[in-house]
Each structure stands twice: as structure tokens, then as C-alpha cells.
Amino acid sequence: MKKITFLLLCCLITLNAYAASKQNIDKITQFYGERAGERAIAWRTLIKNSQHLTTQQKLNAVNDFFNQFVFISDKKLWGQEDYWATPYEFVGVGAGDCEDFSIAKYQALLKLGIDDNKLRLVYVKALELNQFHMVVAYYPTPSAVPVILDNLKGTISPATERNDLLPIYSFNGSKLWLVKQKGQGQVAGNASRLSLWNDLRHRSQYIKLNHPRNIF
């Protein structure tokens, strides 16, 4: 009897997770249109089909998937100087700027079971473009050189090979670091200090969607 109850519970959890996922897809479709719904289905399929992959394969799959999206500035898309779209909004619109690419990749990797302690969202200066930029860093171990997931360059590469990026600060779900030279940096406090990050997490939790001001 206990075994049957446990199996039933597992089935209910799976069904509830599927229902929630389908509900989210329906919401994105209704809000942004049929093509957005197709992207949302592809996003769900990515997460579902990548669970068994190695860590490197997960990094590649997530990086390749989101790098297909269109780059557009917040000013053109949202009519704001700086807007951090949730992954739901990014997938719904199919476009965004570097923060949106990076946040969507970060969240997808978490869903694939990558430990948050091994991930950082890194705010950098892209020296060749002379502008601020965001990437995702994955640390295999705390003292390892991280690899960088970036929408500017499709290939994942070690940070030591990205001399075009000057790190400024980094953060994950719980901590904020100020970068010191080429090291991992000094912990500067909680990630909650970032107002844009707090706002994004609130909108993600309740799946609050916004329409872009302009159609690209």
C-alpha cells in the first residue's frame, strides 16, 4: 500500500509539473502569439530532453538554443534604458539584449540541475564594442577558471581566452561579488542589493508579462 501511495504521489507531482508548464506555455501564447508559443514549447523540450546530458553538453545545448534569438536593445524593444526581461518574456518576444540572453541561460541551467554555486551572471565591459555587457560563467570547481557562455561569441570558452571582456562584478541567486583582477573576486554582499534582479525575480515568480513598446 505504501509503495502504491508513493508511486501515485510521484505521478501526481509529475502531472502537476506538466500542467504548470503547459499553463505557462498557454499564457505565453495568449500574450505574445502562436510563434511565441512554439518557442515556449521548444524551450520546454530543451529542458526535458537535456536532463540526462553531461554538464558540458547541458552548457552547449542551452548556449546554442538561446543564441538563436535576436539581439535588440532595451531602448528599441521596451522603450527603456535598462530592462531585465524574465525568461518567459524573452522567449515570448524572441529577442532581447545581453542581460536577457544571460538570465535565460542561467535559469535554464538551474532547471537542468546545475548547482547555483557553480554559476555566475557576470557584468563585464566588452572592450571591442566599448560597452557594458553580461555573460554567464560556469565554475567546475571553486578555484577553477570558469567557462563563458556569451551571445556575442557562440563558442563556449575559458575566461582566460576572453581578453575582450573586462569583468566588473558578478552575482548568482544569493551573492554579489566585486571582481578583483582575474580572480573570483571578493564577496560584496547579497544579490538582493540589485534592484533589477529583485524586480525580475518577483516577475518570474508570478509570471508577470509585459508587452514590448516596439515590434522589432
Side-chain angles (χ1 to χ4, degrees):
M1 184 66 179
K2 289 184 178 180
K3 183 176 181 181
I4 294 176
T5 303
F6 176 75
L7 290 174
L8 179 59
L9 178 61
C10 290
C11 290
L12 288 174
I13 291 172
T14 302
L15 287 173
N16 286 337
Y18 175 80
S21 180
K22 185 179 185 306
Q23 184 179 20
N24 295 343
I25 290 172
D26 290 343
K27 187 171 183 177
I28 290 171
T29 303
Q30 292 168 8
F31 201 84
Y32 295 111
E34 292 297 326
R35 292 185 63 186
E38 293 173 358
R39 286 191 295 270
I41 291 172
W43 178 29
R44 183 182 67 179
T45 301
L46 167 75
I47 301 302
K48 179 181 177 181
N49 293 347
S50 300
Q51 295 291 338
H52 69 285
L53 299 179
T54 66
T55 296
Q56 185 60 53
Q57 289 172 330
K58 289 177 180 179
L59 295 174
N60 289 333
V62 167
N63 197 54
D64 291 344
F65 177 81
F66 286 110
N67 279 357
Q68 299 176 77
F69 287 38
V70 176
F71 178 86
I72 185 171
S73 70
D74 286 336
K75 189 68 174 178
K76 289 182 179 179
L77 186 61
W78 299 101
Q80 299 183 34
E81 289 297 332
D82 201 6
Y83 179 80
W84 288 13
T86 68
Y88 302 104
E89 292 171 317
F90 183 49
V91 171
V93 176
D97 69 355
C98 58
E99 288 95 349
D100 306 328
F101 279 86
S102 297
I103 290 165
K105 292 175 184 180
Y106 167 78
Q107 296 283 5
L109 292 171
L110 290 179
K111 286 181 179 295
L112 290 176
I114 304 296
D115 191 334
D116 191 36
N117 291 325
K118 295 185 175 183
L119 294 171
R120 303 271 184 88
L121 287 159
V122 189
Y123 203 61
V124 303
K125 185 171 184 180
L127 300 177
E128 295 176 0
L129 299 176
N130 192 32
Q131 66 184 35
F132 294 112
H133 182 55
M134 184 180 285
V135 298
V136 179
Y138 169 75
Y139 290 81
T141 65
S143 60
V145 173
V147 294
I148 303 299
L149 287 70
D150 187 5
N151 65 290
L152 290 179
K153 296 186 178 181
T155 303
I156 297 175
S157 57
T160 50
E161 296 180 8
R162 296 300 306 272
N163 295 324
D164 58 313
L165 302 179
L166 180 64
I168 300 171
Y169 69 83
S170 64
F171 61 98
N172 59 15
S174 59
K175 294 179 181 178
L176 167 68
W177 290 265
L178 299 178
V179 176
K180 295 174 61 179
Q181 297 180 350
K182 292 186 180 296
Q184 287 199 47
Q186 180 178 4
V187 174
N190 294 327
S192 59
R193 291 175 61 181
L194 300 172
S195 60
L196 288 171
W197 182 236
N198 286 337
D199 177 62
L200 178 139
R201 293 206 290 186
H202 175 76
R203 286 183 286 113
S204 292
Q205 181 180 357
Y206 296 101
I207 316 182
K208 292 186 175 182
L209 304 176
N210 289 314
H211 281 295
R213 295 288 181 87
N214 301 297
I215 302 300
F216 63 95

